[in-house]
Amino acid sequence: MRVAIAGAGAVGRSIAGELLENGHDVLLIDKNPNSISVERVPMAEWLLADACEITSLDEAALQRCHVVIAATGDDKVNLVVSLLAKTEYGVPRVVARVNNPKNEWLFNESWGVDVAVSTPRLMSALVEEAVSVGDLVRLMRFSQGNANLVELTLAADTELVGTRVGDVAWPPDTALVTIIREGRVLVPGKDDTLEGGDELLFVAAQEREEELEELLSAGSGAQ
């Protein structure tokens, strides 16, 4: 898979390194000569250019990319890159970094964004997750379909402990995608049982989050 990353700062380089390790082709784009550090990610392609300019994106052959990641530290730039990638080059998947949570509402399909990742929100969510059990924590928002990636750590005294995944009446428009248990990542099957302390990750419609939290917290002392 070919991936273009606009923004070759610490965030962009980190993403590039992981994608390269997973066997993908990566192009890093940045207009700041000081950010062009080929020696830090030697396996990537590098382009010194302004990702907000059509001529630069033509040079990057953005139409050949399967994914574009707008990872600069400027929300305005990330929105422009996302819009151009989607509307001018038809990139199937556009992921954008949100630097200021106040701008998060802009990062939607109208600006070509498929997935918006708010670094401050994600960091605060991880802090919340570390100190709370039984509370639903929103980790990421998917613009298409109005869905979010949410997490909840199952308290030991909830009614669902010991229940088979397939026997739970999950709310509509929700999907349990992962169970993290004692450091292991489990792909849940219908015969797997839920245990206290399980970290459950769901993709859920935003309007179903409250219903999902009530279901997972039923019978616990938090209610």
Side-chain angles (χ1 to χ4, degrees), residues 136 147-148 150 152 154 160 164-177 194 200-218:
L136 202 70
N148 299 314
V150 298
L152 184 140
L154 200 63
L160 290 182
R164 294 168 65 249
V165 169
D167 292 336
V168 179
W170 301 110
D173 304 320
T174 66
L176 175 62
V177 293
L194 299 173
L200 309 177
L201 272 70
F202 295 86
V203 174
Q206 186 167 330
E207 62 269 18
R208 298 293 183 180
E209 290 181 4
E210 184 176 349
E211 185 179 349
L212 181 62
E213 184 172 18
E214 290 178 355
L215 172 67
L216 295 169
S217 301

PDB file of all heavy atoms in Angstrom, residues 136 147-148 150 152 154 160 164-177 194 200-218:
ATOM      1  N   LEU A 136     -17.230   5.021  29.754  1.00  0.00           N
ATOM      2  CA  LEU A 136     -16.924   4.938  28.339  1.00  0.00           C
ATOM      3  C   LEU A 136     -15.991   6.080  27.955  1.00  0.00           C
ATOM      4  O   LEU A 136     -16.242   7.233  28.284  1.00  0.00           O
ATOM      5  CB  LEU A 136     -18.225   5.025  27.526  1.00  0.00           C
ATOM      6  CG  LEU A 136     -18.184   4.448  26.107  1.00  0.00           C
ATOM      7  CD1 LEU A 136     -18.081   2.927  26.167  1.00  0.00           C
ATOM      8  CD2 LEU A 136     -19.421   4.849  25.337  1.00  0.00           C
ATOM      9  N   ALA A 147     -19.400   7.466  13.438  1.00  0.00           N
ATOM     10  CA  ALA A 147     -19.035   6.422  14.393  1.00  0.00           C
ATOM     11  C   ALA A 147     -17.752   6.798  15.126  1.00  0.00           C
ATOM     12  O   ALA A 147     -16.939   7.579  14.632  1.00  0.00           O
ATOM     13  CB  ALA A 147     -18.850   5.079  13.686  1.00  0.00           C
ATOM     14  N   ASN A 148     -17.593   6.221  16.329  1.00  0.00           N
ATOM     15  CA  ASN A 148     -16.419   6.472  17.148  1.00  0.00           C
ATOM     16  C   ASN A 148     -15.794   5.161  17.600  1.00  0.00           C
ATOM     17  O   ASN A 148     -16.483   4.135  17.718  1.00  0.00           O
ATOM     18  CB  ASN A 148     -16.791   7.289  18.390  1.00  0.00           C
ATOM     19  CG  ASN A 148     -17.368   8.648  18.044  1.00  0.00           C
ATOM     20  OD1 ASN A 148     -16.841   9.360  17.204  1.00  0.00           O
ATOM     21  ND2 ASN A 148     -18.468   9.001  18.688  1.00  0.00           N
ATOM     22  N   VAL A 150     -14.505   3.582  20.799  1.00  0.00           N
ATOM     23  CA  VAL A 150     -14.676   3.848  22.222  1.00  0.00           C
ATOM     24  C   VAL A 150     -14.151   2.663  23.029  1.00  0.00           C
ATOM     25  O   VAL A 150     -14.072   1.535  22.542  1.00  0.00           O
ATOM     26  CB  VAL A 150     -16.151   4.130  22.585  1.00  0.00           C
ATOM     27  CG1 VAL A 150     -16.662   5.367  21.870  1.00  0.00           C
ATOM     28  CG2 VAL A 150     -17.036   2.927  22.250  1.00  0.00           C
ATOM     29  N   LEU A 152     -14.079   0.806  27.091  1.00  0.00           N
ATOM     30  CA  LEU A 152     -14.580   0.713  28.459  1.00  0.00           C
ATOM     31  C   LEU A 152     -13.923  -0.478  29.138  1.00  0.00           C
ATOM     32  O   LEU A 152     -13.821  -1.562  28.560  1.00  0.00           O
ATOM     33  CB  LEU A 152     -16.106   0.555  28.482  1.00  0.00           C
ATOM     34  CG  LEU A 152     -16.732   0.537  29.888  1.00  0.00           C
ATOM     35  CD1 LEU A 152     -18.045   1.313  29.920  1.00  0.00           C
ATOM     36  CD2 LEU A 152     -16.993  -0.899  30.352  1.00  0.00           C
ATOM     37  N   LEU A 154     -14.284  -3.161  31.870  1.00  0.00           N
ATOM     38  CA  LEU A 154     -15.426  -3.799  32.523  1.00  0.00           C
ATOM     39  C   LEU A 154     -15.143  -4.012  34.007  1.00  0.00           C
ATOM     40  O   LEU A 154     -14.152  -4.653  34.378  1.00  0.00           O
ATOM     41  CB  LEU A 154     -15.725  -5.135  31.838  1.00  0.00           C
ATOM     42  CG  LEU A 154     -17.112  -5.745  32.037  1.00  0.00           C
ATOM     43  CD1 LEU A 154     -18.192  -4.840  31.442  1.00  0.00           C
ATOM     44  CD2 LEU A 154     -17.173  -7.126  31.395  1.00  0.00           C
ATOM     45  N   LEU A 160     -22.631  -8.344  33.342  1.00  0.00           N
ATOM     46  CA  LEU A 160     -22.161  -9.020  32.135  1.00  0.00           C
ATOM     47  C   LEU A 160     -20.955  -9.924  32.373  1.00  0.00           C
ATOM     48  O   LEU A 160     -20.611 -10.721  31.509  1.00  0.00           O
ATOM     49  CB  LEU A 160     -21.800  -7.985  31.059  1.00  0.00           C
ATOM     50  CG  LEU A 160     -22.972  -7.231  30.423  1.00  0.00           C
ATOM     51  CD1 LEU A 160     -22.473  -6.274  29.351  1.00  0.00           C
ATOM     52  CD2 LEU A 160     -23.978  -8.202  29.811  1.00  0.00           C
ATOM     53  N   ARG A 164     -21.427 -14.886  27.801  1.00  0.00           N
ATOM     54  CA  ARG A 164     -20.850 -15.108  26.484  1.00  0.00           C
ATOM     55  C   ARG A 164     -21.103 -13.888  25.607  1.00  0.00           C
ATOM     56  O   ARG A 164     -22.176 -13.283  25.657  1.00  0.00           O
ATOM     57  CB  ARG A 164     -21.457 -16.350  25.827  1.00  0.00           C
ATOM     58  CG  ARG A 164     -21.122 -17.653  26.527  1.00  0.00           C
ATOM     59  CD  ARG A 164     -21.973 -18.807  26.010  1.00  0.00           C
ATOM     60  NE  ARG A 164     -21.703 -19.112  24.612  1.00  0.00           N
ATOM     61  CZ  ARG A 164     -22.548 -18.893  23.595  1.00  0.00           C
ATOM     62  NH1 ARG A 164     -23.717 -18.314  23.821  1.00  0.00           N
ATOM     63  NH2 ARG A 164     -22.238 -19.242  22.367  1.00  0.00           N
ATOM     64  N   VAL A 165     -20.114 -13.541  24.790  1.00  0.00           N
ATOM     65  CA  VAL A 165     -20.245 -12.383  23.902  1.00  0.00           C
ATOM     66  C   VAL A 165     -21.467 -12.520  23.009  1.00  0.00           C
ATOM     67  O   VAL A 165     -22.206 -11.566  22.777  1.00  0.00           O
ATOM     68  CB  VAL A 165     -18.964 -12.215  23.047  1.00  0.00           C
ATOM     69  CG1 VAL A 165     -19.177 -11.192  21.937  1.00  0.00           C
ATOM     70  CG2 VAL A 165     -17.782 -11.829  23.927  1.00  0.00           C
ATOM     71  N   GLY A 166     -21.712 -13.729  22.523  1.00  0.00           N
ATOM     72  CA  GLY A 166     -22.836 -13.958  21.625  1.00  0.00           C
ATOM     73  C   GLY A 166     -24.187 -13.863  22.298  1.00  0.00           C
ATOM     74  O   GLY A 166     -25.218 -13.788  21.605  1.00  0.00           O
ATOM     75  N   ASP A 167     -24.217 -13.885  23.625  1.00  0.00           N
ATOM     76  CA  ASP A 167     -25.493 -13.817  24.357  1.00  0.00           C
ATOM     77  C   ASP A 167     -25.849 -12.399  24.784  1.00  0.00           C
ATOM     78  O   ASP A 167     -26.921 -12.175  25.339  1.00  0.00           O
ATOM     79  CB  ASP A 167     -25.436 -14.713  25.606  1.00  0.00           C
ATOM     80  CG  ASP A 167     -25.363 -16.188  25.247  1.00  0.00           C
ATOM     81  OD1 ASP A 167     -25.801 -16.544  24.140  1.00  0.00           O
ATOM     82  OD2 ASP A 167     -24.863 -16.973  26.084  1.00  0.00           O
ATOM     83  N   VAL A 168     -24.959 -11.448  24.537  1.00  0.00           N
ATOM     84  CA  VAL A 168     -25.209 -10.067  24.946  1.00  0.00           C
ATOM     85  C   VAL A 168     -26.052  -9.362  23.879  1.00  0.00           C
ATOM     86  O   VAL A 168     -25.749  -9.441  22.684  1.00  0.00           O
ATOM     87  CB  VAL A 168     -23.898  -9.299  25.158  1.00  0.00           C
ATOM     88  CG1 VAL A 168     -24.190  -7.859  25.569  1.00  0.00           C
ATOM     89  CG2 VAL A 168     -23.033  -9.988  26.214  1.00  0.00           C
ATOM     90  N   ALA A 169     -27.094  -8.687  24.304  1.00  0.00           N
ATOM     91  CA  ALA A 169     -27.947  -7.920  23.384  1.00  0.00           C
ATOM     92  C   ALA A 169     -27.306  -6.544  23.178  1.00  0.00           C
ATOM     93  O   ALA A 169     -27.716  -5.548  23.791  1.00  0.00           O
ATOM     94  CB  ALA A 169     -29.359  -7.801  23.943  1.00  0.00           C
ATOM     95  N   TRP A 170     -26.289  -6.498  22.335  1.00  0.00           N
ATOM     96  CA  TRP A 170     -25.592  -5.244  22.095  1.00  0.00           C
ATOM     97  C   TRP A 170     -26.526  -4.234  21.422  1.00  0.00           C
ATOM     98  O   TRP A 170     -27.387  -4.625  20.639  1.00  0.00           O
ATOM     99  CB  TRP A 170     -24.375  -5.469  21.194  1.00  0.00           C
ATOM    100  CG  TRP A 170     -23.376  -6.439  21.739  1.00  0.00           C
ATOM    101  CD1 TRP A 170     -23.117  -7.687  21.252  1.00  0.00           C
ATOM    102  CD2 TRP A 170     -22.521  -6.272  22.870  1.00  0.00           C
ATOM    103  NE1 TRP A 170     -22.144  -8.302  22.003  1.00  0.00           N
ATOM    104  CE2 TRP A 170     -21.759  -7.460  23.003  1.00  0.00           C
ATOM    105  CE3 TRP A 170     -22.317  -5.240  23.775  1.00  0.00           C
ATOM    106  CZ2 TRP A 170     -20.817  -7.636  24.011  1.00  0.00           C
ATOM    107  CZ3 TRP A 170     -21.372  -5.410  24.784  1.00  0.00           C
ATOM    108  CH2 TRP A 170     -20.638  -6.590  24.893  1.00  0.00           C
ATOM    109  N   PRO A 171     -26.373  -2.953  21.698  1.00  0.00           N
ATOM    110  CA  PRO A 171     -27.207  -1.945  21.027  1.00  0.00           C
ATOM    111  C   PRO A 171     -26.983  -1.984  19.515  1.00  0.00           C
ATOM    112  O   PRO A 171     -25.910  -2.401  19.050  1.00  0.00           O
ATOM    113  CB  PRO A 171     -26.702  -0.616  21.619  1.00  0.00           C
ATOM    114  CG  PRO A 171     -26.035  -0.990  22.901  1.00  0.00           C
ATOM    115  CD  PRO A 171     -25.448  -2.349  22.685  1.00  0.00           C
ATOM    116  N   PRO A 172     -27.967  -1.562  18.734  1.00  0.00           N
ATOM    117  CA  PRO A 172     -27.764  -1.468  17.282  1.00  0.00           C
ATOM    118  C   PRO A 172     -26.600  -0.524  16.963  1.00  0.00           C
ATOM    119  O   PRO A 172     -26.261   0.363  17.753  1.00  0.00           O
ATOM    120  CB  PRO A 172     -29.092  -0.889  16.777  1.00  0.00           C
ATOM    121  CG  PRO A 172     -30.081  -1.177  17.867  1.00  0.00           C
ATOM    122  CD  PRO A 172     -29.315  -1.132  19.153  1.00  0.00           C
ATOM    123  N   ASP A 173     -25.996  -0.746  15.825  1.00  0.00           N
ATOM    124  CA  ASP A 173     -24.922   0.134  15.333  1.00  0.00           C
ATOM    125  C   ASP A 173     -23.716   0.159  16.264  1.00  0.00           C
ATOM    126  O   ASP A 173     -23.034   1.183  16.398  1.00  0.00           O
ATOM    127  CB  ASP A 173     -25.438   1.563  15.125  1.00  0.00           C
ATOM    128  CG  ASP A 173     -26.630   1.627  14.185  1.00  0.00           C
ATOM    129  OD1 ASP A 173     -26.620   0.887  13.188  1.00  0.00           O
ATOM    130  OD2 ASP A 173     -27.564   2.388  14.461  1.00  0.00           O
ATOM    131  N   THR A 174     -23.454  -0.972  16.933  1.00  0.00           N
ATOM    132  CA  THR A 174     -22.241  -1.103  17.738  1.00  0.00           C
ATOM    133  C   THR A 174     -21.580  -2.433  17.405  1.00  0.00           C
ATOM    134  O   THR A 174     -22.257  -3.406  17.080  1.00  0.00           O
ATOM    135  CB  THR A 174     -22.528  -1.060  19.256  1.00  0.00           C
ATOM    136  OG1 THR A 174     -23.293  -2.213  19.618  1.00  0.00           O
ATOM    137  CG2 THR A 174     -23.286   0.192  19.643  1.00  0.00           C
ATOM    138  N   ALA A 175     -20.265  -2.472  17.482  1.00  0.00           N
ATOM    139  CA  ALA A 175     -19.533  -3.704  17.211  1.00  0.00           C
ATOM    140  C   ALA A 175     -18.360  -3.820  18.177  1.00  0.00           C
ATOM    141  O   ALA A 175     -17.541  -2.906  18.286  1.00  0.00           O
ATOM    142  CB  ALA A 175     -19.024  -3.727  15.770  1.00  0.00           C
ATOM    143  N   LEU A 176     -18.308  -4.940  18.897  1.00  0.00           N
ATOM    144  CA  LEU A 176     -17.172  -5.220  19.760  1.00  0.00           C
ATOM    145  C   LEU A 176     -16.048  -5.753  18.879  1.00  0.00           C
ATOM    146  O   LEU A 176     -16.177  -6.817  18.263  1.00  0.00           O
ATOM    147  CB  LEU A 176     -17.556  -6.260  20.819  1.00  0.00           C
ATOM    148  CG  LEU A 176     -16.434  -6.757  21.735  1.00  0.00           C
ATOM    149  CD1 LEU A 176     -15.838  -5.626  22.558  1.00  0.00           C
ATOM    150  CD2 LEU A 176     -16.948  -7.865  22.655  1.00  0.00           C
ATOM    151  N   VAL A 177     -14.940  -5.017  18.792  1.00  0.00           N
ATOM    152  CA  VAL A 177     -13.881  -5.396  17.859  1.00  0.00           C
ATOM    153  C   VAL A 177     -12.675  -6.033  18.542  1.00  0.00           C
ATOM    154  O   VAL A 177     -11.967  -6.831  17.927  1.00  0.00           O
ATOM    155  CB  VAL A 177     -13.429  -4.170  17.032  1.00  0.00           C
ATOM    156  CG1 VAL A 177     -14.543  -3.712  16.114  1.00  0.00           C
ATOM    157  CG2 VAL A 177     -12.983  -3.017  17.923  1.00  0.00           C
ATOM    158  N   LEU A 194     -17.027 -12.690  28.928  1.00  0.00           N
ATOM    159  CA  LEU A 194     -16.489 -11.430  29.410  1.00  0.00           C
ATOM    160  C   LEU A 194     -16.008 -11.590  30.843  1.00  0.00           C
ATOM    161  O   LEU A 194     -16.645 -12.270  31.652  1.00  0.00           O
ATOM    162  CB  LEU A 194     -17.571 -10.346  29.335  1.00  0.00           C
ATOM    163  CG  LEU A 194     -18.115 -10.050  27.937  1.00  0.00           C
ATOM    164  CD1 LEU A 194     -19.291  -9.078  28.023  1.00  0.00           C
ATOM    165  CD2 LEU A 194     -17.028  -9.493  27.031  1.00  0.00           C
ATOM    166  N   LEU A 200     -12.587  -3.343  26.725  1.00  0.00           N
ATOM    167  CA  LEU A 200     -13.397  -3.611  25.545  1.00  0.00           C
ATOM    168  C   LEU A 200     -13.334  -2.420  24.593  1.00  0.00           C
ATOM    169  O   LEU A 200     -13.575  -1.287  24.996  1.00  0.00           O
ATOM    170  CB  LEU A 200     -14.853  -3.876  25.942  1.00  0.00           C
ATOM    171  CG  LEU A 200     -15.082  -4.932  27.035  1.00  0.00           C
ATOM    172  CD1 LEU A 200     -16.566  -5.032  27.360  1.00  0.00           C
ATOM    173  CD2 LEU A 200     -14.527  -6.284  26.598  1.00  0.00           C
ATOM    174  N   LEU A 201     -13.021  -2.691  23.328  1.00  0.00           N
ATOM    175  CA  LEU A 201     -12.982  -1.641  22.317  1.00  0.00           C
ATOM    176  C   LEU A 201     -14.121  -1.877  21.327  1.00  0.00           C
ATOM    177  O   LEU A 201     -14.273  -2.982  20.800  1.00  0.00           O
ATOM    178  CB  LEU A 201     -11.650  -1.628  21.575  1.00  0.00           C
ATOM    179  CG  LEU A 201     -10.528  -0.787  22.205  1.00  0.00           C
ATOM    180  CD1 LEU A 201     -10.040  -1.445  23.486  1.00  0.00           C
ATOM    181  CD2 LEU A 201      -9.376  -0.597  21.245  1.00  0.00           C
ATOM    182  N   PHE A 202     -14.900  -0.825  21.112  1.00  0.00           N
ATOM    183  CA  PHE A 202     -16.050  -0.883  20.220  1.00  0.00           C
ATOM    184  C   PHE A 202     -15.931   0.174  19.130  1.00  0.00           C
ATOM    185  O   PHE A 202     -15.355   1.242  19.346  1.00  0.00           O
ATOM    186  CB  PHE A 202     -17.356  -0.579  20.979  1.00  0.00           C
ATOM    187  CG  PHE A 202     -17.737  -1.587  22.020  1.00  0.00           C
ATOM    188  CD1 PHE A 202     -17.229  -1.506  23.301  1.00  0.00           C
ATOM    189  CD2 PHE A 202     -18.643  -2.608  21.730  1.00  0.00           C
ATOM    190  CE1 PHE A 202     -17.600  -2.422  24.280  1.00  0.00           C
ATOM    191  CE2 PHE A 202     -19.013  -3.512  22.694  1.00  0.00           C
ATOM    192  CZ  PHE A 202     -18.494  -3.437  23.977  1.00  0.00           C
ATOM    193  N   VAL A 203     -16.504  -0.126  17.972  1.00  0.00           N
ATOM    194  CA  VAL A 203     -16.866   0.914  17.017  1.00  0.00           C
ATOM    195  C   VAL A 203     -18.368   1.092  17.178  1.00  0.00           C
ATOM    196  O   VAL A 203     -19.132   0.136  17.041  1.00  0.00           O
ATOM    197  CB  VAL A 203     -16.517   0.525  15.572  1.00  0.00           C
ATOM    198  CG1 VAL A 203     -17.054   1.572  14.595  1.00  0.00           C
ATOM    199  CG2 VAL A 203     -15.006   0.389  15.404  1.00  0.00           C
ATOM    200  N   ALA A 204     -18.777   2.316  17.500  1.00  0.00           N
ATOM    201  CA  ALA A 204     -20.184   2.548  17.843  1.00  0.00           C
ATOM    202  C   ALA A 204     -20.662   3.877  17.285  1.00  0.00           C
ATOM    203  O   ALA A 204     -19.910   4.854  17.243  1.00  0.00           O
ATOM    204  CB  ALA A 204     -20.374   2.526  19.366  1.00  0.00           C
ATOM    205  N   ALA A 205     -21.917   3.893  16.862  1.00  0.00           N
ATOM    206  CA  ALA A 205     -22.537   5.156  16.468  1.00  0.00           C
ATOM    207  C   ALA A 205     -22.601   6.069  17.686  1.00  0.00           C
ATOM    208  O   ALA A 205     -22.849   5.609  18.809  1.00  0.00           O
ATOM    209  CB  ALA A 205     -23.935   4.892  15.917  1.00  0.00           C
ATOM    210  N   GLN A 206     -22.372   7.341  17.470  1.00  0.00           N
ATOM    211  CA  GLN A 206     -22.293   8.272  18.594  1.00  0.00           C
ATOM    212  C   GLN A 206     -23.562   8.278  19.434  1.00  0.00           C
ATOM    213  O   GLN A 206     -23.514   8.344  20.663  1.00  0.00           O
ATOM    214  CB  GLN A 206     -22.005   9.683  18.079  1.00  0.00           C
ATOM    215  CG  GLN A 206     -21.768  10.701  19.186  1.00  0.00           C
ATOM    216  CD  GLN A 206     -21.185  11.989  18.644  1.00  0.00           C
ATOM    217  OE1 GLN A 206     -20.477  11.986  17.645  1.00  0.00           O
ATOM    218  NE2 GLN A 206     -21.473  13.085  19.308  1.00  0.00           N
ATOM    219  N   GLU A 207     -24.721   8.155  18.770  1.00  0.00           N
ATOM    220  CA  GLU A 207     -25.988   8.205  19.508  1.00  0.00           C
ATOM    221  C   GLU A 207     -26.236   6.940  20.327  1.00  0.00           C
ATOM    222  O   GLU A 207     -27.168   6.895  21.137  1.00  0.00           O
ATOM    223  CB  GLU A 207     -27.156   8.441  18.543  1.00  0.00           C
ATOM    224  CG  GLU A 207     -27.363   7.354  17.508  1.00  0.00           C
ATOM    225  CD  GLU A 207     -26.594   7.624  16.230  1.00  0.00           C
ATOM    226  OE1 GLU A 207     -25.659   8.451  16.263  1.00  0.00           O
ATOM    227  OE2 GLU A 207     -26.934   7.011  15.197  1.00  0.00           O
ATOM    228  N   ARG A 208     -25.398   5.911  20.142  1.00  0.00           N
ATOM    229  CA  ARG A 208     -25.546   4.669  20.902  1.00  0.00           C
ATOM    230  C   ARG A 208     -24.592   4.573  22.082  1.00  0.00           C
ATOM    231  O   ARG A 208     -24.650   3.600  22.845  1.00  0.00           O
ATOM    232  CB  ARG A 208     -25.321   3.462  19.985  1.00  0.00           C
ATOM    233  CG  ARG A 208     -26.310   3.350  18.833  1.00  0.00           C
ATOM    234  CD  ARG A 208     -27.705   3.065  19.333  1.00  0.00           C
ATOM    235  NE  ARG A 208     -28.644   2.891  18.215  1.00  0.00           N
ATOM    236  CZ  ARG A 208     -29.933   2.633  18.371  1.00  0.00           C
ATOM    237  NH1 ARG A 208     -30.444   2.540  19.588  1.00  0.00           N
ATOM    238  NH2 ARG A 208     -30.711   2.490  17.322  1.00  0.00           N
ATOM    239  N   GLU A 209     -23.722   5.562  22.239  1.00  0.00           N
ATOM    240  CA  GLU A 209     -22.693   5.473  23.269  1.00  0.00           C
ATOM    241  C   GLU A 209     -23.282   5.417  24.676  1.00  0.00           C
ATOM    242  O   GLU A 209     -22.848   4.614  25.512  1.00  0.00           O
ATOM    243  CB  GLU A 209     -21.727   6.652  23.153  1.00  0.00           C
ATOM    244  CG  GLU A 209     -20.851   6.587  21.928  1.00  0.00           C
ATOM    245  CD  GLU A 209     -19.888   7.757  21.835  1.00  0.00           C
ATOM    246  OE1 GLU A 209     -19.852   8.573  22.776  1.00  0.00           O
ATOM    247  OE2 GLU A 209     -19.183   7.861  20.819  1.00  0.00           O
ATOM    248  N   GLU A 210     -24.271   6.248  24.951  1.00  0.00           N
ATOM    249  CA  GLU A 210     -24.869   6.255  26.287  1.00  0.00           C
ATOM    250  C   GLU A 210     -25.546   4.918  26.586  1.00  0.00           C
ATOM    251  O   GLU A 210     -25.409   4.364  27.695  1.00  0.00           O
ATOM    252  CB  GLU A 210     -25.881   7.395  26.400  1.00  0.00           C
ATOM    253  CG  GLU A 210     -26.492   7.540  27.796  1.00  0.00           C
ATOM    254  CD  GLU A 210     -27.412   8.745  27.903  1.00  0.00           C
ATOM    255  OE1 GLU A 210     -27.410   9.579  26.971  1.00  0.00           O
ATOM    256  OE2 GLU A 210     -28.124   8.853  28.918  1.00  0.00           O
ATOM    257  N   GLU A 211     -26.250   4.387  25.595  1.00  0.00           N
ATOM    258  CA  GLU A 211     -26.910   3.088  25.763  1.00  0.00           C
ATOM    259  C   GLU A 211     -25.891   1.982  26.005  1.00  0.00           C
ATOM    260  O   GLU A 211     -26.093   1.094  26.845  1.00  0.00           O
ATOM    261  CB  GLU A 211     -27.728   2.798  24.501  1.00  0.00           C
ATOM    262  CG  GLU A 211     -28.579   1.536  24.561  1.00  0.00           C
ATOM    263  CD  GLU A 211     -29.384   1.337  23.287  1.00  0.00           C
ATOM    264  OE1 GLU A 211     -29.440   2.273  22.448  1.00  0.00           O
ATOM    265  OE2 GLU A 211     -29.948   0.236  23.128  1.00  0.00           O
ATOM    266  N   LEU A 212     -24.774   2.036  25.286  1.00  0.00           N
ATOM    267  CA  LEU A 212     -23.725   1.038  25.450  1.00  0.00           C
ATOM    268  C   LEU A 212     -23.100   1.131  26.831  1.00  0.00           C
ATOM    269  O   LEU A 212     -22.862   0.108  27.497  1.00  0.00           O
ATOM    270  CB  LEU A 212     -22.661   1.235  24.364  1.00  0.00           C
ATOM    271  CG  LEU A 212     -21.481   0.264  24.360  1.00  0.00           C
ATOM    272  CD1 LEU A 212     -21.961  -1.164  24.126  1.00  0.00           C
ATOM    273  CD2 LEU A 212     -20.464   0.669  23.293  1.00  0.00           C
ATOM    274  N   GLU A 213     -22.859   2.341  27.301  1.00  0.00           N
ATOM    275  CA  GLU A 213     -22.271   2.522  28.626  1.00  0.00           C
ATOM    276  C   GLU A 213     -23.203   1.998  29.708  1.00  0.00           C
ATOM    277  O   GLU A 213     -22.754   1.360  30.672  1.00  0.00           O
ATOM    278  CB  GLU A 213     -21.954   4.004  28.868  1.00  0.00           C
ATOM    279  CG  GLU A 213     -21.257   4.269  30.197  1.00  0.00           C
ATOM    280  CD  GLU A 213     -20.785   5.698  30.328  1.00  0.00           C
ATOM    281  OE1 GLU A 213     -21.269   6.557  29.577  1.00  0.00           O
ATOM    282  OE2 GLU A 213     -19.911   5.938  31.188  1.00  0.00           O
ATOM    283  N   GLU A 214     -24.495   2.253  29.575  1.00  0.00           N
ATOM    284  CA  GLU A 214     -25.475   1.758  30.555  1.00  0.00           C
ATOM    285  C   GLU A 214     -25.482   0.238  30.588  1.00  0.00           C
ATOM    286  O   GLU A 214     -25.544  -0.374  31.651  1.00  0.00           O
ATOM    287  CB  GLU A 214     -26.866   2.287  30.228  1.00  0.00           C
ATOM    288  CG  GLU A 214     -27.027   3.779  30.474  1.00  0.00           C
ATOM    289  CD  GLU A 214     -28.410   4.290  30.093  1.00  0.00           C
ATOM    290  OE1 GLU A 214     -29.207   3.474  29.550  1.00  0.00           O
ATOM    291  OE2 GLU A 214     -28.679   5.477  30.287  1.00  0.00           O
ATOM    292  N   LEU A 215     -25.415  -0.391  29.406  1.00  0.00           N
ATOM    293  CA  LEU A 215     -25.410  -1.849  29.338  1.00  0.00           C
ATOM    294  C   LEU A 215     -24.184  -2.427  30.033  1.00  0.00           C
ATOM    295  O   LEU A 215     -24.269  -3.372  30.827  1.00  0.00           O
ATOM    296  CB  LEU A 215     -25.430  -2.293  27.878  1.00  0.00           C
ATOM    297  CG  LEU A 215     -25.229  -3.791  27.612  1.00  0.00           C
ATOM    298  CD1 LEU A 215     -26.413  -4.594  28.152  1.00  0.00           C
ATOM    299  CD2 LEU A 215     -25.052  -4.051  26.117  1.00  0.00           C
ATOM    300  N   LEU A 216     -23.012  -1.851  29.756  1.00  0.00           N
ATOM    301  CA  LEU A 216     -21.770  -2.389  30.281  1.00  0.00           C
ATOM    302  C   LEU A 216     -21.585  -2.087  31.761  1.00  0.00           C
ATOM    303  O   LEU A 216     -20.801  -2.765  32.446  1.00  0.00           O
ATOM    304  CB  LEU A 216     -20.587  -1.840  29.474  1.00  0.00           C
ATOM    305  CG  LEU A 216     -20.538  -2.264  28.019  1.00  0.00           C
ATOM    306  CD1 LEU A 216     -19.496  -1.459  27.267  1.00  0.00           C
ATOM    307  CD2 LEU A 216     -20.225  -3.751  27.912  1.00  0.00           C
ATOM    308  N   SER A 217     -22.286  -1.082  32.273  1.00  0.00           N
ATOM    309  CA  SER A 217     -22.151  -0.702  33.672  1.00  0.00           C
ATOM    310  C   SER A 217     -23.288  -1.257  34.541  1.00  0.00           C
ATOM    311  O   SER A 217     -23.302  -1.032  35.759  1.00  0.00           O
ATOM    312  CB  SER A 217     -22.128   0.823  33.814  1.00  0.00           C
ATOM    313  OG  SER A 217     -21.057   1.375  33.073  1.00  0.00           O
ATOM    314  N   ALA A 218     -24.227  -1.972  33.943  1.00  0.00           N
ATOM    315  CA  ALA A 218     -25.406  -2.452  34.669  1.00  0.00           C
ATOM    316  C   ALA A 218     -25.001  -3.317  35.857  1.00  0.00           C
ATOM    317  O   ALA A 218     -24.191  -4.233  35.742  1.00  0.00           O
ATOM    318  CB  ALA A 218     -26.315  -3.246  33.739  1.00  0.00           C
TER     319      ALA A 218
END
